Each structure stands twice: as structure tokens, then as C-alpha cells.
Amino acid sequence: MTIMLTDPPTRSRAELVTLDERFAVVARGDEYVERLYDGGRWLEGPVYVPAWRSLVFSDIPNDRMLRWDELSGAVSVFRQPAGYTNGNTLDAQGRLISCEQGNRRVTRTEADGSLTVLASHLDGLKLNSPNDVVVRRDGSIWFTDPPYGITSNYEGHAAEQEIATCNVYRLSADGELTVVADDFARPNGLAFSLDESQLYVVDTPARHIRRFEVKDGRLVGGEVFAPYQAGMFDGIRLDAGGRVWAATHEGVHCFDPDGTLIGKLLFPDIVSNLCFGGPKRNRLFITATTSVYSWLITTDGAAPPYDRG
Ligand code: MG
């Protein structure tokens, strides 16, 4: 196994923008952010694995997954090749669920390390390139399927798109794959509300987050929850207060459940995704282009299973 002992984390002052007093409740933690790792090409898909005290994340163009050890600070290669994996999450049993956008499938890593293919085709046609994934308490797995992994060889394998649309999918606990939304340009990050009655889904080129009602395994509605004219959204996660934390081109945006943008954490590089982790789930891990950052805050991530996105 390749061990890459990293330099001590570098700390820099958190560049906070408070837009609403409600942001103060969650942002009174560390006044600095730590850069835990720098050396990726385009980092994505962070997921904190409590059993390993580690953050697993994807380095898509380098076709590898990396693992940052919380106790030692070491970063090692977790999997390579990795099917150009993008988004990751855990299911209720703590198993790693991954969007292999190069292999155009969603897989589960079993306890023995083997991979189980959960979804790869719809009616005999290959998926485009699954991007991000979330697990619901009923065991269903919901994921988005834009074509970023097949438009070139940069972060996947150039190929024809077999399914005409870029859908949001639901994979039921017994393995039935269903299209739950087909009116997206490029669906991307997604996360359930705390009671799982709503699903937030990013449409990246449309520059907004939509919010659907979840009814009997289907999606209803889908109004714009949050627009963003200065750039684009990617991954999203919810905290224990139901606030939506979103990765954007200028940093992390935090939205109240009523849709108000209450604050920002700015970064010099494009932020792709984020997740909550640490033993108390109060540490925000952020993948931003070539780096992974963390920020200890005063709210916790949404309760498992597993990280609402
Ligand atoms: Mg994404």
C-alpha cells in the first residue's frame, strides 16, 4: 500500500461571509480551516467512515480513491484503478456505496472487500456515468446520472450516451431501478431532508438546487429551492438542523431550510463536494479541486443513514 505521509495540516483563517444572523449559530467553531491534503487532480466524493476513523474520497482524473486517516494524518491509496469513482456514501450497514462514473455503474464494497454491482443499465442501456448517491432509511439508493464520465477520457472513458436523458434514479432495496426525474440538464449532488419527505437535487448547468416531495418512492414537484448565478452547484449535504450545505465555485454555501442563503465559507479553488464527519459529526470535510480541507463547526451533520447525501 502506498503511504503518503503528508505535511502537517496548514491552517488558514476561515473566510466567512455572514449574510444572516442564523449563520452565527453554526459557524462559531474554529476560526480557521485546515488543509489536510493537497495533491489530487480533481477531488470529489468525500465520505467519513466512522469504523475506520477515516475520510475516503475520490481523485477522479487520477482514477483512484484515497483515504485520510484521522488519527495519523496519513493519506494512502484506498483503491486504484477505481472506475473513475465520483460520489460516495455509506448505507445503513456502513458499507461504502460508490458511483463509478468510468465504469458507468453504482457499486457496494462488501465487508470482504469485494464489489457488488448494484446498478449499471436501464432497460438494457448503459447508464451515463453515475455522479452522486444517497441512501434512504428504507434501504433504497438514489443517484444522479449526468454524462461527465463519458464526454471525454479526462475523468472516465469517452463513449456514446445510450440513455437520452440525464436522470435521477431510485434503486429499491430489492434491486428495482426506476427513473424518478428526467427533466434535468445535469443532475448532480443530492440529499434528503431530515425526515426524508423531501429530496434536494442539484442541476449544475441550470445553476440551482431543486426540492422535491418524496411520495411512495416517487418525486413530486421539484421547485427551485436555491438559485446561484455566480457559478454552479455540485455536492450537497444537510446538517442536523436541516440546513443545506452546498459546494460551489466560490466555496461552501449554507442555506436555511426556508431557502435563505445565510452564510458562506470562501475558498480560493472550486469546491466540488463536502461531508460531515469525525466521531461527533461536527467536522465539515471539503474537497476543493486538488485539496481536502476540514472545518470544525458548532452543528452536527444529519444523523445516519448515513449522511443524508
Ligand atoms: Mg458531483
Side-chain angles (χ1 to χ4, degrees):
M1 180 167 56
T2 306
I3 300 289
M4 296 176 285
L5 287 172
T6 54
D7 295 328
T10 56
R11 295 182 175 185
S12 56
R13 191 163 186 84
E15 289 196 51
L16 294 178
V17 178
T18 299
L19 301 170
D20 185 293
E21 62 185 12
R22 288 172 284 183
F23 190 55
V25 175
V26 301
R28 281 186 305 206
D30 288 349
E31 294 181 345
Y32 55 87
V33 295
E34 291 174 293
R35 188 166 74 174
L36 304 174
Y37 174 71
D38 181 43
R41 194 171 294 276
W42 176 250
L43 301 179
E44 250 284 4
V47 58
Y48 181 81
V49 184
W52 305 345
R53 293 291 300 272
S54 293
L55 184 79
V56 171
F57 53 100
S58 304
D59 184 4
I60 305 176
N62 285 324
D63 192 16
R64 62 183 182 173
M65 296 165 75
L66 302 175
R67 172 180 173 175
W68 171 81
D69 184 300
E70 185 174 24
L71 301 179
S72 69
V75 174
S76 57
V77 177
F78 170 69
R79 180 178 295 162
Q80 190 177 31
Y84 291 89
T85 287
N86 191 329
N88 297 285
T89 193
L90 299 182
D91 68 10
Q93 289 75 43
R95 297 172 295 192
L96 186 64
I97 308 291
S98 300
C99 292
E100 297 185 15
Q101 67 173 26
N103 289 336
R104 306 172 73 167
R105 64 189 192 180
V106 177
T107 59
R108 180 175 63 218
T109 302
E110 307 293 353
D112 65 3
S114 63
L115 296 179
T116 298
V117 178
L118 301 177
S120 59
H121 292 75
L122 177 72
D123 299 331
L125 301 176
K126 287 184 180 177
L127 297 174
N128 298 331
S129 59
N131 185 287
D132 218 339
V133 60
V134 61
V135 176
R136 204 159 180 259
R137 288 191 186 89
D138 63 6
S140 58
I141 295 171
W142 301 59
F143 63 94
T144 54
D145 192 38
Y148 297 117
I150 58 174
T151 51
S152 75
N153 286 317
Y154 178 66
E155 51 178 359
H157 305 288
E160 292 297 316
Q161 188 172 329
E162 297 186 12
I163 298 170
T165 48
C166 296
N167 302 324
V168 182
Y169 290 95
R170 172 184 184 267
L171 181 68
S172 69
D174 56 9
E176 183 186 1
L177 187 64
T178 309
V179 177
V180 290
D182 62 2
D183 61 342
F184 279 76
R186 300 279 188 271
N188 205 318
L190 71 175
F192 284 106
S193 62
L194 299 183
D195 65 1
E196 300 187 331
S197 69
Q198 297 174 317
L199 179 69
Y200 298 88
V201 188
V202 165
D203 196 345
T204 293
R207 299 168 187 262
H208 59 221
I209 304 171
R210 296 170 65 184
R211 182 167 59 185
F212 295 85
E213 302 296 319
V214 183
K215 290 204 164 64
D216 302 324
R218 297 178 301 110
L219 296 182
V220 180
E223 77 282 5
V224 172
F225 167 73
Y228 178 37
Q229 299 305 324
M232 299 187 203
F233 292 114
D234 200 330
I236 55 175
R237 291 288 196 282
L238 263 66
D239 69 23
R243 287 168 287 263
V244 178
W245 296 73
T248 81
H249 278 199
E250 68 173 357
V252 175
H253 287 187
C254 180
F255 295 91
D256 186 84
D258 73 3
T260 305
L261 177 61
I262 60 174
K264 303 177 180 181
L265 175 63
L266 302 180
F267 283 92
D269 299 314
I270 294 173
V271 173
S272 63
N273 216 327
L274 55 114
C275 74
F276 290 91
K280 295 181 175 178
R281 303 183 60 75
N282 60 350
R283 190 171 187 176
L284 195 58
F285 292 99
I286 297 138
T287 50
T289 308
T290 61
S291 302
V292 175
Y293 295 89
S294 85
W295 183 35
L296 205 60
I297 58 177
T298 51
T299 187
D300 305 339
Y306 206 100
D307 51 12
R308 303 272 74 83

